[in-house]
Amino acid sequence: MKKLLFIYNPYAGTGVLKSKLSDVLDIFVKAEYEVTVYPTQCYHDAMRKVEAYEEEYDLVVCSGGDGTLDEVVTAMTRRADPRPIGYIPAGTTNDFANSLHIPKNLLDAAHMAVHGVPFACDVGRFNKDVFVYVAAFGLFTDVSYETKQEMKNILGHLAYVLEGTKRLFNIPSYHMKVTHDGQVIEDDFVYGMVTNSKSVGGFKGMVGKDVVFDDGEFEVTLIKMPKNPIELNEIVAALLMRQLDQKHMYSFKSGELCFESLEEIPWTLDGEYGGSHDFVRIQNKKQQLQIMVDPECLPQISGERMESIEVNSD
């Protein structure tokens, strides 16, 4: 019989998994898996469990928010025998799951985890750390990890908005030199993000169009420091309209880039605190994550499959 390790965060989202846990396990067993269940006990517990297990698991399934997924993926990239990962999203935003068309319904997601197909997805290397879909600095990036779990559960996206509005009256800027693909950008920024996702913070369209997840490149967005309230309004309007404002923003794709600053700047990785750094090297590790997806969705998320479709149509 195949073996499955199921790791879940019992406090993620509104805790809805608790009432569905029996049904989720039934789906796993009916798919002919022998299941080991592990509820996480504290921060980084999922990471420790995946790094330390010695059993011969065929599949590791995790349930929780983006932070839980980040821990499992980070630990799996460190193992000598990486296994495919199934994901049952139960957090507040679940950006990465939405981008990969993983169902919001817990039972449907559980079914996909054991009956889907492995998709070779890119992951990011952030100095010595790993991130799944976003590394960011600047305005609002501390909201997700400073907002209390109880507030996230009750208010959802409103919790992020409430926390974020507190910072609008004192916007910090960071002078940084960004090097990528033989080019150098030096400017003052209020926000920057390196992403492999179609949405960030639950808002779609912020990273541009034609996002695929296995092309070896990230989408990079850098927002300049506004010089006056008019420029700030123009930036906000561009974000709300999901349009690139070339006067106030840089936007490009890259597989590797470096950020240098005179001061240490706090970063967030997949919504969790990623430390403060004055030098950051970000590298795209192409197709190093095996994650279970619906085979019918592959043409929408895979650059290689999109290219083959275009060739065949010609």
Side-chain angles (χ1 to χ4, degrees), residues 12-301:
T14 56
V16 292
L17 181 65
K18 293 180 181 179
S19 63
K20 301 289 186 182
L21 184 58
S22 176
D23 295 324
V24 167
L25 296 179
D26 187 59
I27 291 172
F28 294 164
V29 173
K30 281 184 167 59
E32 300 183 348
Y33 281 97
E34 179 182 311
V35 184
T36 300
V37 181
Y38 186 82
T40 59
Q41 304 298 303
C42 58
Y43 180 60
H44 276 177
D45 197 25
M47 186 182 300
R48 284 189 288 267
K49 180 63 177 177
V50 174
E51 282 184 324
Y53 75 72
E54 298 179 355
E55 296 81 354
E56 293 291 332
Y57 291 115
D58 299 280
L59 177 66
V60 175
V61 179
C62 64
S63 182
D66 291 331
T68 302
L69 177 65
D70 177 89
E71 289 188 28
V72 172
V73 171
T74 297
M76 193 63 76
T77 62
R78 296 172 180 171
R79 290 189 63 92
D81 59 343
R83 293 291 183 262
I85 295 172
Y87 182 39
I88 302 175
T92 307
T93 53
N94 305 308
D95 285 309
F96 193 63
N98 294 335
S99 296
L100 293 184
H101 303 278
I102 295 175
K104 295 180 181 179
N105 180 281
L106 296 177
L107 301 186
D108 290 342
H111 188 274
M112 179 182 293
V114 290
H115 294 290
V117 296
F119 168 58
C121 183
D122 300 343
V123 292
R125 175 72 64 181
F126 178 95
N127 288 344
K128 295 182 179 180
D129 291 322
V130 172
F131 66 95
V132 179
Y133 75 96
V134 60
F137 69 87
L139 189 65
F140 298 164
T141 53
D142 59 345
V143 170
S144 59
Y145 58 81
E146 285 193 356
T147 305
K148 293 182 178 180
Q149 185 66 54
E150 293 82 0
M151 183 180 285
K152 293 181 186 178
N153 293 348
I154 296 171
L155 300 176
H157 288 304
L158 182 58
Y160 294 96
V161 175
L162 291 174
E163 287 292 322
T165 52
K166 298 176 184 177
R167 295 156 174 79
L168 279 175
F169 301 101
N170 185 23
I171 302 176
S173 65
Y174 306 96
H175 188 82
M176 303 183 77
K177 182 170 75 170
V178 183
T179 306
H180 73 97
D181 306 298
Q183 301 183 44
V184 177
I185 299 170
E186 190 166 357
D187 215 324
D188 295 320
F189 302 106
V190 293
Y191 180 75
M193 62 181 177
V194 181
T195 63
N196 194 34
S197 176
K198 291 186 178 180
S199 67
V200 176
F203 297 96
K204 296 182 178 180
M206 289 181 64
V207 296
K209 301 178 181 179
D210 303 322
V211 177
V212 293
F213 302 89
D214 60 353
D215 61 354
E217 290 190 313
F218 291 121
E219 283 69 39
V220 183
T221 303
L222 305 171
I223 301 178
K224 302 178 187 179
M225 176 66 183
K227 296 182 177 62
N228 52 60
I230 294 177
E231 290 191 356
L232 177 60
N233 288 336
E234 291 174 347
I235 291 171
V236 172
L239 293 175
L240 291 175
M241 295 291 289
R242 303 176 184 177
Q243 294 178 347
L244 174 64
D245 184 345
Q246 295 184 346
K247 184 169 63 174
H248 303 303
M249 303 179 192
Y250 298 94
S251 180
F252 55 90
K253 292 177 179 285
S254 180
E256 181 172 350
L257 59 163
C258 294
F259 294 82
E260 299 175 74
S261 56
L262 295 177
E263 58 181 324
E264 290 191 341
I265 295 173
W267 286 73
T268 177
L269 306 179
D270 299 330
E272 302 293 335
Y273 180 57
S276 295
H277 309 271
D278 55 15
F279 178 83
V280 167
R281 172 176 282 112
I282 295 178
Q283 299 169 293
N284 185 297
K285 297 300 181 180
K286 186 175 181 180
Q287 302 178 5
Q288 287 200 358
L289 165 64
Q290 293 281 332
I291 189 162
M292 304 299 287
V293 300
D294 184 343
E296 294 185 1
C297 294
L298 285 174
Q300 302 172 55
I301 61 178

